[in-house]
Amino acid sequence: MTQLRTVQVLGGGSAGSSAHVRSLASGLVARGVRVTVCAPAELDRAYDFIGAGAHFVPVPRRNDPATVAALRNACIGADVVHAHGLHASVRAMLALSGGVRTPSLVTTWHTRSHVDGARGGLLRLLERRTARAAAVVLGTSSELVDRARRSGARDARLAPVTVPASRAPVCLHDGKARAELGAVDRPLLMAVGALVPERGYGMLLDAARVWRDLDPQPLLVIAGEGRERAAMQRRIEAEGLAVRLIGSRDDVAELLAAADVAVLTSRWEARSPLAQEALRLGVPLVATAVGGVPELVGDAAELVPWGDAAALAEAVRGLLADVDRRMDLAAAGRVQAGTWPTEDETIAHVLSVYDELSDRR
């Protein structure tokens, strides 16, 4: 039997999609599949695709002729090219166009854009083109599957992605981590994600202003980097908010485990890595009821409307005042996490799609 060969293509690579590709590469290699990962060079430094057993080809996040040609060369002889996200899907579609024996194209939609105006129209056009070009579109939430079908996908399927759990040992309410963050004698709230408008940090800072009257005042720690950092820091200082921006961290699970409450305020999410990690650890979660979040967390989190800072502030205030409710959510979170597909099941499902397409060929 001929060895299956797949090429995994990443664009900018969100934390969730990059971790998924790393997991996928490791699991596929262990099952005898030849895997090549094509992505910006910095992603291999962060996720070590080579260490997972994959061949790595650095491909910049551009669609210029040289980049497309490099990707086309990497795809020669592949059975399946699997693109993750819109930018990677566009690049893969261009690389595979006009080939004599083109591999099957699979694309996973991990998220969606909320851009308006001319750029938003262009992104929707590219969504339609890549959806129609793919043999199979995998959506990480039911909403994304429906969106792919409306965009003209020939075959759109639900493929929930479970972000691999942290392999580092964690300790709930770890005193050392809390001391490092400055929350020894006060509640600790934790948010994680890039400092960009889509994460809803304006809403979160509005809520932090409300928490100033609590005694003791909770400390909100935000792990992540992005273009909004300077503006957020200016507002934190101007309003005297108990908020710390600690930048990108590679010990997020340990910091999250030390928190009393995790907070997710994104405008849209499918399978939020923060929500998954919080529920696995048994950290109570307050999240916006958007996208695939309700589907992911079930009844194991407090959900609030997007943009409603008052509802967010009240939900967090209520949890901090109710130990029993926090304990109930912690237990429910671990139960809910047990309903998600395991890492092995996620890999097996993707491999079954590859095998199906190879049989058709």
Side-chain angles (χ1 to χ4, degrees):
M1 180 177 178
T2 304
Q3 186 181 31
L4 184 70
R5 185 185 166 205
T6 176
V7 176
Q8 306 290 319
V9 185
L10 276 166
S14 67
S17 60
S18 298
H20 172 57
V21 169
R22 208 293 180 179
S23 169
L24 200 56
S26 179
L28 291 173
V29 168
R31 289 163 172 78
V33 179
R34 292 174 59 198
V35 178
T36 298
V37 176
C38 296
E42 61 269 19
L43 290 185
D44 184 56
R45 291 192 291 270
Y47 291 92
D48 191 19
F49 302 115
I50 295 173
H55 176 61
F56 181 74
V57 177
V59 176
R61 192 176 187 257
R62 298 193 299 265
N63 292 330
D64 59 85
T67 299
V68 172
L71 181 56
R72 180 180 293 121
N73 289 337
C75 293
I76 293 173
D79 300 289
V80 177
V81 173
H82 190 166
H84 299 264
L86 180 60
H87 294 288
S89 299
V90 170
R91 200 165 299 122
M93 179 181 68
L94 293 173
L96 298 181
S97 62
V100 177
R101 182 187 179 277
T102 57
S104 299
L105 175 62
V106 175
T107 179
T108 293
W109 288 16
H110 292 269
T111 187
R112 54 165 294 186
S113 65
H114 287 273
V115 181
D116 298 320
R119 184 166 180 267
L122 174 61
L123 292 176
R124 288 188 290 275
L125 173 62
L126 292 175
E127 271 189 353
R128 291 194 293 272
R129 289 194 61 185
T130 56
R132 293 167 184 171
V136 177
V137 177
L138 301 176
T140 56
S141 70
S142 299
E143 182 179 329
L144 287 176
V145 174
D146 292 340
R147 185 179 178 89
R149 287 171 179 159
R150 291 195 301 270
S151 297
R154 291 173 284 169
D155 186 343
R157 311 179 191 183
L158 180 64
V161 170
T162 300
V163 176
S166 171
R167 287 172 169 78
V170 296
C171 177
L172 289 176
H173 303 290
D174 179 36
K176 181 179 178 181
R178 291 176 71 93
E180 178 201 338
L181 297 172
V184 175
D185 298 317
R186 63 200 302 191
L188 174 61
L189 313 177
M190 191 81 198
V192 180
L195 306 185
V196 294
E198 295 79 12
R199 293 290 184 179
Y201 290 132
M203 167 188 175
L204 187 52
L205 295 186
D206 288 343
R209 191 167 52 201
V210 176
W211 298 325
R212 287 185 301 189
D213 65 353
L214 294 179
D215 185 19
Q217 184 180 1
L219 173 67
L220 169 63
V221 173
I222 303 175
E225 279 295 352
R227 63 182 183 273
E228 294 292 304
R229 181 181 182 118
M232 289 176 63
Q233 189 62 52
R234 285 194 297 270
R235 181 178 172 189
I236 290 166
E237 293 171 1
E239 299 182 17
L241 303 178
V243 179
R244 284 192 61 194
L245 307 180
I246 61 172
S248 297
R249 297 285 293 250
D250 57 8
D251 58 348
V252 165
E254 294 91 321
L255 299 180
L256 186 60
D260 297 288
V261 176
V263 188
L264 175 68
T265 54
S266 298
R267 181 178 179 182
W268 196 92
E269 291 277 358
R271 305 278 295 183
S272 162
L274 168 63
Q276 291 187 52
E277 197 69 76
L279 266 61
R280 276 199 198 102
L281 292 170
V283 178
L285 173 70
V286 177
T288 43
V290 296
V293 172
E295 181 180 13
L296 175 70
V297 304
D299 296 325
E302 296 280 3
L303 298 178
V304 299
W306 153 257
D308 192 337
L312 172 65
E314 186 57 35
V316 171
R317 183 195 294 266
L319 280 181
L320 293 179
D322 190 341
V323 175
D324 290 340
R325 176 60 178 158
R326 295 205 305 272
M327 292 179 64
D328 288 344
L329 282 180
R334 294 188 182 98
V335 171
Q336 180 69 11
T339 69
W340 301 333
T342 65
E343 192 174 353
D344 279 347
E345 289 168 343
T346 300
I347 295 163
H349 179 224
V350 172
L351 183 55
S352 72
V353 174
Y354 295 172
D355 286 339
E356 177 186 332
L357 293 174
S358 296
D359 289 343
R360 288 185 200 171
R361 290 165 61 85

